Amino acid sequence: MLTSDQMVQKVSQEAAIFSNLDPATVYAFSIRTEKEGFKDSSPYIKEIQTAPSAAEFVNHSRNSNAVTISWPSARSLLDGYIISISSESLMKEEILPSTKRTFTFNRLSPGTDFLISIIATKGLKRSHPTVLMVSTYPDPPSDLLILGQEENTIYLSWKLPQGGFEKFQISYCMTSRREKLFQVIVYTNKAKVKNLTPGVDYVFHVKTVRGKDYSVSVMKNVATKLSV
């Protein structure tokens, strides 16, 4: 008599597929040959463990130097997790206990793309990896300087940030009319901002841009020269 947790298949080929099994569970498989009119062969019994279930999804938060990931509880008993992070210049792996649900990768390069993978383990079995592509935010420029001031023009320069970047966004306005904001995009660490009003105080903000990500801004106040 079969119990509710027993399954039987009769096949004519040398293979069988059992579906809808529980993850990370040891099953005993019994194989025997049958021929009408003859006694069945002695069973060959083998225990096989199914792989653990993968993490269903991964949440994350980030800044310019760190990425924190979190994931839900597994649907089966586990030994733990293998999590890894990689980029063009980095490969790091950590082994975590099954009770762990969050981890922070620190000291990462700003403005860099990373591939993060989470694998659940049970014995020698591993789940399929759950992967996440994530980028750190770019660092802001540093040492924003005013190189020159004219009646209608301001010259700016700054140090390039650490890590990856694509361009820089300069936002500026009169200090007395902050609601009217102008923007300029440049691809080097110098800028010439023209068509300003003589003898007026301006505030300049410079941000690093990479893809859809922006750094925090650095700021400088400066006044154009009066008309002679």
Side-chain angles (χ1 to χ4, degrees):
M1 181 179 294
L2 295 177
T3 62
S4 59
D5 58 353
Q6 288 182 312
M7 292 175 281
V8 172
Q9 288 190 38
K10 291 189 176 184
V11 295
S12 57
Q13 70 273 18
E14 296 176 345
I17 298 176
F18 289 86
S19 303
N20 301 317
L21 303 179
D22 293 329
T25 302
V26 176
Y27 288 88
F29 292 87
S30 174
I31 305 172
R32 63 186 181 184
T33 56
E34 295 180 344
K35 184 174 177 63
E36 189 175 346
F38 290 86
K39 182 180 179 182
D40 293 349
S41 70
S42 298
Y44 171 76
I45 299 175
K46 183 175 180 63
E47 290 189 342
I48 301 175
Q49 178 185 297
T50 53
S53 57
E56 294 182 8
F57 58 87
V58 182
N59 292 319
H60 76 278
S61 61
R62 59 190 174 127
N63 56 35
S64 61
N65 300 108
V67 174
T68 298
I69 58 172
S70 61
W71 57 94
S73 301
R75 293 184 288 110
S76 58
L77 292 175
L78 302 177
D79 291 336
Y81 298 94
I82 300 172
I83 65 171
S84 63
I85 187 169
S86 60
S87 67
E88 291 183 353
S89 59
L90 172 71
M91 177 63 195
K92 186 178 181 181
E93 187 176 274
E94 298 282 347
I95 297 176
L96 305 178
S98 60
T99 53
K100 197 80 170 176
R101 295 286 179 272
T102 183
F103 187 83
T104 299
F105 294 99
N106 291 304
R107 290 180 288 184
L108 303 179
S109 178
T112 303
D113 298 324
F114 294 95
L115 176 66
I116 294 175
S117 169
I118 302 179
I119 297 173
T121 63
K122 177 68 174 178
L124 298 177
K125 295 289 186 177
R126 297 185 176 190
S127 70
H128 292 295
T130 301
V131 296
L132 172 70
M133 286 292 299
V134 62
S135 302
T136 47
Y137 285 111
D139 261 356
S142 59
D143 296 342
L144 177 59
L145 299 174
I146 305 300
L147 293 182
Q149 299 154 265
E150 297 177 358
E151 294 177 3
N152 305 105
T153 306
I154 294 294
Y155 299 87
L156 304 168
S157 77
W158 53 89
K159 285 187 178 179
L160 295 177
Q162 297 291 322
F165 64 91
E166 293 176 4
K167 53 193 175 184
F168 300 94
Q169 177 185 283
I170 302 170
S171 303
Y172 62 97
C173 63
M174 297 180 183
T175 54
S176 60
R177 297 180 61 186
R178 292 180 180 267
E179 73 280 358
K180 191 171 183 179
L181 188 69
F182 300 91
Q183 289 186 345
V184 177
I185 296 293
V186 297
Y187 293 85
T188 65
N189 64 327
K190 293 181 180 180
K192 178 182 179 181
V193 182
K194 302 183 293 183
N195 302 318
L196 304 177
T197 303
V200 171
D201 292 325
Y202 285 86
V203 57
F204 285 85
H205 294 265
V206 182
K207 294 180 179 180
T208 308
V209 183
R210 182 178 184 270
K212 296 182 179 180
D213 291 337
Y214 293 78
S215 73
V216 297
S217 63
V218 291
M219 185 191 74
K220 204 79 168 179
N221 290 297
V222 63
T224 51
K225 286 187 176 181
L226 289 168
S227 297
V228 178

